[in-house]
Amino acid sequence: MSAPLQETKIRSASKEVVLGGMHRFCIIGERINPTGRRIFQDQLRAGDLSAIERDVKAQVEGGADVLDVNMGVPLTDEAELLAKAVTMIQSLTDLPICIDSSVVEALEAGLSAYEGRALVNSITAEDERMEQILPLVKKYDAAVIALPNDVDEIPMEPDKRLMLVEKIVRVATQEYGIALEDIVIDPLAMPIGADTTNGLATLETMRRIRDTYGLNMTCGSSNVSFGMPGRHTLNGTFLSMAMTAGLTSAIMDARTPEVVSTVKATDLLLGHDEWGSEWIMRHRQAQKAAQEAAAAVT
Ligand code: THG
């Protein structure tokens, strides 16, 4: 017998998104993040948040259901910046936010500025991280992404990852009173270019997490194709396979239509898109955009 599938509910002030069960796959738009983007970092450091507006618009138009927001800029007050960004983004869109930081104070500032029920990104199985962050998750009635890695290693073996998931679930539910449905596991998709057995190990880990706990899962899907050519094809194919193994959301770039279409096709084929309404709506939107583009040239 497999465990019942959990449903994770997150909200903005006016919109609810449900992960898991028979719901559509949740696309968490990843670009509101200055990591590796020098110009964006300089702007944020100077207090100029205008580039965020463009990234939000692009992710929303591409089909994001939730926005991941990370304001990790070296030599800034990340807490203040993240709180400002959260408030600003909530004035631009009604999509719920996934608050992404490795700094505990920044997570707290983001949570206190947020209106709704946030997704916190992330904790690990390390005692210290759990002690620092789980009380905030409880206090602000949020859901949380948890990574099955320890102080000393990111284990690749599914058995070891399952043991860390077991620890996270036990501590979060029993010591902090967090509901099972509010724990979202990131099983850590590793680059296929580093080791071509990584894909299989990740898929097995996902299947076992779903069957044992019914937990929702997410992952940074572009990690899989790191260092390889043809990244979009790899990312889309990985997501489609992972969805059959229990992945219910991904932190990904919603600006990539071929990957978004593959996710939507997989939703339809898995019975997660009732009447095919999402699939048909996207098809009509694309047709309309093509007609408008053709009319503009003639
Ligand atoms: N799991 C969880 N959270 C995560 C990740 C994960 N948060 C951060 C990250 N991984 C996902 N977010 C991003 C955000 C931006 C970019 C990539 C992932 C990005 N990449 C540039 C690109 O692809 O062109 C390159 C930037 C660079 O490295 O130079 O902008 O896995 N829970």
Side-chain angles (χ1 to χ4, degrees):
M1 262 293 280
S2 297
L5 300 178
Q6 299 293 325
E7 293 191 354
T8 310
K9 299 187 171 86
I10 55 176
R11 279 188 292 279
S12 64
S14 58
K15 186 170 184 154
E16 180 171 87
V17 170
V18 184
L19 274 71
M22 292 303 280
H23 292 273
R24 287 193 287 105
F25 191 79
C26 176
I27 296 175
I28 305 177
E30 77 182 356
R31 289 285 296 181
I32 306 158
N33 187 332
T35 310
R37 294 164 69 186
R38 187 40 81 58
I39 298 167
F40 191 15
Q41 287 187 12
D42 289 341
Q43 288 169 332
L44 291 173
R45 214 177 273 123
D48 173 8
L49 276 69
S50 60
I52 292 176
E53 201 162 330
R54 192 190 54 209
D55 283 327
V56 167
K57 189 165 182 284
Q59 293 301 308
V60 172
E61 285 175 1
D65 300 297
V66 171
L67 298 176
D68 186 86
V69 179
N70 179 305
M71 288 289 127
V73 183
L75 308 175
T76 51
D77 183 344
E78 189 179 331
E80 190 193 329
L81 189 57
L82 187 56
K84 264 196 200 156
V86 162
T87 302
M88 179 194 163
I89 293 163
Q90 291 209 284
S91 75
L92 298 171
T93 175
D94 63 356
L95 296 189
I97 292 179
C98 173
I99 301 177
D100 184 351
S101 178
S102 53
V103 178
V104 180
E105 293 73 24
L107 289 176
E108 167 128 50
L111 282 166
S112 76
Y114 186 68
E115 274 192 67
R117 183 161 211 268
L119 181 57
V120 171
N121 188 9
S122 55
I123 61 164
T124 64
E126 295 164 90
D127 295 325
E128 199 194 349
R129 298 295 291 169
M130 291 199 282
E131 277 164 28
Q132 290 173 324
I133 299 168
L134 288 175
L136 297 177
V137 172
K138 186 69 187 171
K139 177 178 168 191
Y140 289 95
D141 184 35
V144 64
I145 296 175
L147 317 172
N149 68 268
D150 224 338
V151 191
D152 38 72
E153 63 164 357
I154 303 183
M156 217 33 240
E157 301 85 346
D159 280 344
K160 288 192 183 167
R161 291 199 177 184
L162 264 290
M163 277 168 58
L164 293 172
V165 171
E166 192 274 330
K167 176 183 174 184
I168 290 163
V169 167
R170 177 169 40 80
V171 173
T173 58
Q174 294 177 16
E175 292 181 27
Y176 295 93
I178 289 163
L180 196 59
E181 66 192 36
D182 290 325
I183 304 168
V184 178
I185 303 292
D186 179 343
L188 298 164
M190 305 300 278
I192 197 75
D195 179 340
T196 49
T197 65
N198 279 347
L200 283 176
T202 304
L203 294 171
E204 187 190 334
T205 304
M206 287 178 180
R207 269 192 292 274
R208 288 176 59 183
I209 292 170
R210 178 191 56 195
D211 293 349
T212 311
Y213 302 99
L215 287 171
N216 282 306
M217 287 177 263
T218 194
C219 73
S221 54
S222 59
N223 293 347
V224 171
S225 62
F226 187 78
M228 290 297 271
R231 292 191 68 174
H232 297 334
T233 306
L234 279 173
N235 292 345
T237 305
F238 168 76
L239 281 171
S240 190
M241 295 171 78
M243 287 166 73
T244 70
L247 187 72
T248 48
S249 72
I251 303 167
M252 55 182 271
D253 190 349
R255 294 173 312 170
T256 327
E258 50 274 55
V259 181
V260 175
S261 292
T262 301
V263 164
K264 299 297 179 187
T266 311
D267 268 336
L268 177 59
L269 295 166
L270 288 175
H272 295 174
D273 178 6
E274 206 180 7
W275 309 112
S277 53
E278 175 82 2
W279 180 258
I280 293 164
M281 189 264 295
R282 269 181 65 83
H283 183 72
R284 288 198 179 131
Q285 270 179 352
Q287 258 182 340
K288 190 160 166 264
Q291 278 162 6
E292 282 168 6
V297 267
T298 51

